[in-house]
Amino acid sequence: MSASCQLAFDTVFLHAPFLWRVRLVVRTQPSQGWCTGSTPVRAATLRESRLMRLPLLVLSIALCSLLASSCSKGITRATAVMVFSVKGRVISGNAERNDFQAVTLKSRIHSGDTVRSSHAASIDLALIPAVLAQLTGDSEIKIDELSIAKDGNQTAGGMRDRTARIRLSRGKVIVLFTPTDRSASQFAVTTGQLTIKPDSDCLFCVWTDGKTTRVTCAKGKVNAPSDAQAQVTIAAGYFQEWPTTRKTPVPATEKAAAQIDITESLEAEQRLQSEGSAWQNRRPF
């Protein structure tokens, strides 16, 4: 290389921090033009910076995923039925395995469990805070669903909705439905192909022998849509039976069994309200 060779340094900064290279430009002869070449420098620094950024990147992705899942989506948890009182012999458990235990005030009844009451027995319980129920004698229900959904992992507040669904196989269940504005509450009783859903605050009774279903409303109103028929709304003091040829509910005064339904419902309401208030004061749901 001649003495007229000139050295020129052109520093090129890349977009990523700490990543830069020096370009060496050599001119040998005026007629030969410019000759350029890239020479990596500070290779160790580059490697170290990349290694330092990798765990930070992984941690950032993990934190973003955790925050997104905790804040934007509700976390659904299974819960259990609260037993208020038991009269006579009542059992609960897994019907498929025929694994039943006597129900006490300390029993925990979960989704999938079946509850059976013997003759002249009864049980008062809370499915969710908005749904208090009484199962009368010679009756059987299955807890199809029992869950609560909360915002993230909050231990207090943040409740989004509560859901309870039961299936009445035989007998009678009296339901007191009193939802609050603080969280959505969903409830349904199924008998065969018929599904009964409360419309708002209401007190109603569902009876079935496996072939015939009767729904009697004592307070408020309930909706009873079925797969084969249009939705029917039953107001207080009325009842409806399925299968039926009547398109509208019938006054309870026209059937003795319906009058008994209303009398028993009103009696159960007072007890359920008293038990529910004591439970809420004892421990919030």
Side-chain angles (χ1 to χ4, degrees):
M1 181 179 300
S2 67
S4 62
C5 288
Q6 298 179 357
L7 294 178
F9 294 91
D10 179 19
T11 303
V12 179
F13 289 90
L14 302 181
H15 292 292
F18 306 112
L19 296 181
W20 55 277
R21 297 188 305 172
V22 176
R23 190 193 308 177
L24 178 63
V25 183
V26 181
R27 183 175 182 180
T28 56
Q29 295 292 339
S31 61
Q32 291 177 332
W34 290 91
C35 158
T36 63
S38 295
T39 303
V41 297
R42 299 186 63 181
T45 303
L46 292 175
R47 286 194 299 269
E48 292 176 0
S49 63
R50 289 169 182 167
L51 291 176
M52 291 174 62
R53 290 200 312 275
L54 181 59
L56 291 176
L57 178 62
V58 174
L59 180 60
S60 299
I61 295 175
L63 287 175
C64 289
S65 300
L66 179 61
L67 291 174
S69 61
S70 299
C71 298
S72 62
K73 295 181 181 179
I75 296 177
T76 301
R77 295 187 178 94
T79 184
V81 172
M82 174 62 65
V83 179
F84 287 157
S85 63
V86 183
K87 176 185 176 182
R89 179 168 173 76
V90 180
I91 59 176
S92 68
N94 191 307
E96 296 179 356
R97 297 197 301 263
N98 196 29
D99 181 16
F100 287 92
Q101 301 291 331
V103 175
T104 68
L105 296 181
K106 296 181 179 180
S107 296
R108 302 288 287 175
I109 304 172
H110 300 87
S111 295
D113 287 346
T114 296
V115 182
R116 292 174 180 170
S117 61
S118 60
H119 177 70
S122 65
I123 178 173
D124 294 349
L125 45 83
L127 297 167
I128 54 177
V131 181
L132 309 183
Q134 180 184 98
L135 189 67
T136 63
D138 290 325
S139 302
E140 177 179 317
I141 60 171
K142 180 180 179 182
I143 311 298
D144 283 339
E145 182 182 358
L146 202 63
S147 63
I148 60 176
K150 302 186 69 175
D151 285 329
N153 289 314
Q154 298 182 52
T155 56
M159 191 69 67
R160 298 179 65 174
D161 59 69
R162 299 177 172 95
T163 301
R165 292 188 301 108
I166 64 174
R167 182 175 298 273
L168 179 66
S169 302
R170 58 181 173 84
K172 181 187 294 186
V173 62
I174 298 170
V175 178
L176 176 61
F177 182 68
T178 54
T180 64
D181 296 334
R182 289 176 295 178
S183 62
S185 298
Q186 303 177 46
F187 175 68
V189 183
T190 301
T191 62
Q193 294 183 336
L194 186 70
T195 301
I196 301 96
K197 296 181 179 180
D199 188 11
S200 58
D201 290 26
C202 62
L203 174 68
F204 65 99
C205 166
V206 183
W207 170 89
T208 185
D209 60 2
K211 296 180 180 179
T212 303
T213 297
R214 181 177 67 251
V215 180
T216 307
C217 183
K219 289 185 178 181
K221 57 183 178 180
V222 293
N223 298 320
S226 65
D227 294 341
Q229 301 178 11
Q231 175 175 293
V232 174
T233 299
I234 306 171
Y238 286 78
F239 78 96
Q240 180 71 295
E241 285 187 344
W242 289 266
T244 182
T245 56
R246 299 193 181 191
K247 297 182 179 180
T248 58
V250 182
T253 53
E254 295 189 13
K255 190 177 183 69
Q259 295 180 48
I260 294 174
D261 289 344
I262 290 182
T263 300
E264 292 181 346
S265 296
L266 294 174
E267 292 175 353
E269 178 190 24
Q270 296 181 358
R271 190 163 65 195
L272 289 172
Q273 285 179 334
S274 176
E275 294 168 334
S277 297
W279 170 52
Q280 294 286 6
N281 294 334
R282 197 165 55 243
R283 52 176 294 184
F285 195 85

